[in-house]
Amino acid sequence: MRTTVSVIKADIGSLAGHHVVHPDTMAAANRVLAEAKRQSIILDYYITNVGDDLELIMTHTRGELDQKVHEVAWNAFKEATNVAKELGLYAAGQDLLSDTFSGNLKGMGPGMAELELEERPSEPIAIFMADKTEPGAFNLPLYKMFADPFNTPGLVIDPTMNEGFKFEVLDVYEGKAVELSCPEEIYTLLALIGTPARYVVRKVRRKKDNMLGSVTSIERLNLIAGKYVGKDDPVLVVRLQHGFPALGEALEAFSFPYLVPGWMRGSHYGPLMPVSQRDARATRFDGPPRLIGLGFNVKNGKLTGPSDLFDDPAFDEVRRTASVITDYMRRHGPFMPHRLEPTEMEYTTLPTIVEKLKDRFKKEEDVTKAKRSIYVGKGEETD
Ligand code: 13P
Ligand code: 13P
Ligand code: MG
Ligand code: MG
Ligand code: MG
């Protein structure tokens, strides 16, 4: 059976700041998805949240970018936004950049990762969802899962993985994509995806048979809206086992709390902390950036699960390290490299501040002269 797993998410408002989705908004989304299931538009669904992001996990047979499925998601976000407005939740409708739905959700604000697959007899998948970061945050773990034998021994010992994987990398500034074949082009791949703000791994395919192994959401809200309107908190769907990474290989990629852009006001680097569903709430400095992982099996379009993958003492040390890094990074205050670099700040309010100061900026010689006149008196400049 050909099934599509669509994970579509949006921040439609949250409790007490950019903190956590309110259950009443999830209930509103649930009513819309339950009706869509009754009408057989979708076959099954699961609703969850990470921090202030409402996550709709849906299965169907309609393929990617399907108008009806996207309309269901849009209506769910709209209904949830109405509840958010009634309750006066913070930033109600934050990620919905348009008022009317037209065709599909591309460019409208919500993020989506849709993976169409021919169901194997057993189809295990993991869905990773993060808050307070952006799509390129999955570059590093995707590299580890699908290209690094120190993370994924299957690349060495499983003949079906041995040929390697192809990475489809999108340049989010130019809107162009390139496919790189690994292991041969690993260095070229790393040259690009080491700049995660610009180059995002969108899809990974198994070389042997072109089978799709993972899909990442690639929407960057600030590039759509032209200004900072919240982070593009990303989602990632990964197929597991039988020629794809084992569940434990996929999870191992998150055993190091690497630095990602996002966090407070979308303007700081911080460690990505894998947490349980219970701890999927943004708190300290609106973070630190959080990741949840849910494991499912898909059979005839039905979702069995989930298992809350990071709800496990095996990840306690990772979380502890992330907390230590949090302290370390915070001590930089408003300084880089805790604060993002200027190119990334271009899409925030920082240019407005620089613009306001335009007339107060003096040419360097003038400043030097003025300064010298204080110390050596006018006309007495010496070198
Ligand atoms: P089991 O023997 O528990 O099935 O484990 C197989 C495996 O390959 C784990 O990665
Ligand atoms: P969100 O994108 O999660 O809404 O974060 C916005 C923000 O500014 C947090 O400080
Ligand atoms: Mg928010
Ligand atoms: Mg968020
Ligand atoms: Mg966001």
Side-chain angles (χ1 to χ4, degrees):
M1 178 175 170
R2 246 191 129 61
T3 303
T4 304
V5 179
S6 292
V7 185
I8 306 186
K9 49 79 49 183
D11 178 341
I12 51 79
S14 50
L15 182 68
H18 295 279
H19 169 51
V20 71
V21 170
H22 190 281
D24 290 2
T25 62
M26 288 170 81
N30 187 66
R31 284 192 287 277
V32 176
L33 265 55
E35 178 57 22
K37 186 175 170 181
R38 207 189 53 78
Q39 291 180 14
S40 304
I41 299 171
I42 56 174
L43 294 174
D44 207 356
Y45 70 91
Y46 186 80
I47 297 178
T48 188
N49 80 290
V50 54
D52 59 4
D53 289 276
L54 176 59
E55 312 275 349
L56 312 176
I57 298 167
M58 299 174 285
T59 51
H60 54 94
T61 53
R62 296 165 178 274
E64 284 178 51
L65 294 174
D66 178 75
Q67 176 161 358
K68 279 201 162 164
V69 173
H70 281 216
E71 197 165 16
V72 166
W74 179 255
N75 291 338
F77 293 139
K78 277 283 177 196
E79 290 297 319
T81 299
N82 290 341
V83 174
K85 283 183 177 158
E86 277 163 32
L87 296 176
L89 297 182
Y90 188 67
Q94 178 185 282
D95 289 354
L96 308 186
L97 304 179
S98 174
D99 288 331
T100 42
F101 178 76
S102 56
N104 67 56
L105 289 173
K106 255 189 162 170
M108 294 183 74
M112 56 219 149
E114 298 187 284
L115 197 155
E116 189 176 356
L117 50 87
E118 186 62 41
E119 279 186 21
R120 298 167 290 171
S122 174
E123 187 59 60
I125 60 167
I127 301 176
F128 296 101
M129 296 159 271
D131 185 32
K132 305 298 182 272
T133 185
E134 61 187 30
F138 288 128
N139 284 2
L140 187 150
L142 281 169
Y143 171 77
K144 284 187 155 186
M145 282 178 219
F146 289 99
D148 178 4
F150 279 74
N151 180 90
T152 301
L155 292 165
V156 178
I157 62 182
D158 178 348
T160 54
M161 296 177 83
N162 205 238
E163 275 180 47
F165 289 87
K166 293 184 293 188
F167 288 67
E168 185 185 303
V169 179
L170 179 74
D171 177 341
V172 291
Y173 284 87
E174 294 291 328
K176 289 180 183 165
V178 61
E179 193 169 69
L180 294 168
S181 188
C182 295
E184 318 87 90
E185 296 186 288
I186 272 181
Y187 300 154
T188 313
L189 175 72
L190 288 172
L192 296 185
I193 68 172
T195 310
R198 176 160 190 166
Y199 299 101
V200 179
V201 178
R202 179 162 58 182
K203 289 182 175 170
V204 180
R205 287 194 168 79
R206 187 161 69 192
K207 241 163 38 187
K208 190 169 166 278
D209 51 12
N210 223 29
M211 219 186 244
L212 196 54
S214 83
V215 178
T216 315
S217 63
I218 43 91
E219 292 73 20
R220 287 206 54 190
L221 274 175
N222 49 5
L223 298 180
I224 301 170
K227 61 178 188 329
Y228 181 66
V229 285
K231 268 289 162 199
D232 339 275
D233 313 300
V235 292
L236 165 68
V237 185
V238 181
R239 290 174 88 178
L240 306 168
Q241 308 289 156
H242 281 290
F244 291 117
L247 171 66
E249 289 169 338
L251 296 177
E252 185 64 10
F254 296 103
S255 61
F256 156 58
Y258 58 100
L259 294 173
V260 296
W263 210 352
M264 175 59 76
R265 298 173 189 273
S267 306
H268 296 81
Y269 285 105
L272 187 65
M273 184 189 257
V275 294
S276 66
Q277 180 74 84
R278 188 180 52 254
D279 292 327
R281 296 169 298 128
T283 57
R284 184 165 176 200
F285 201 55
D286 281 2
R290 287 183 201 220
L291 173 78
I292 60 165
L294 298 182
F296 292 94
N297 270 96
V298 185
K299 186 74 179 175
N300 300 325
K302 295 274 168 216
L303 290 166
T304 299
S307 171
D308 188 353
L309 299 169
F310 296 118
D311 183 12
D312 180 355
F315 281 91
D316 282 351
E317 257 332 271
V318 184
R319 291 187 274 265
R320 209 187 63 80
T321 307
S323 289
V324 172
I325 297 168
T326 293
D327 278 331
Y328 174 81
M329 293 303 283
R330 281 301 304 125
R331 286 172 71 180
H332 293 81
F335 284 81
M336 291 172 62
H338 179 27
R339 202 209 70 192
L340 298 192
E341 58 271 35
T343 45
E344 281 303 293
M345 299 297 286
E346 268 169 33
Y347 296 90
T348 68
T349 49
L350 196 64
T352 325
I353 293 169
V354 176
E355 178 64 25
K356 258 204 254 168
L357 290 174
K358 209 174 65 195
D359 296 335
R360 289 173 58 189
F361 271 105
K362 299 274 180 281
K363 271 210 172 136
E364 208 192 346
E365 302 103 66
D366 299 346
V367 174
T368 316
K369 267 186 195 159
K371 221 173 164 186
R372 283 180 176 179
S373 65
I374 293 168
Y375 291 106
V376 290
K378 249 190 178 130
E380 292 178 33
E381 287 179 31
T382 48
D383 278 311

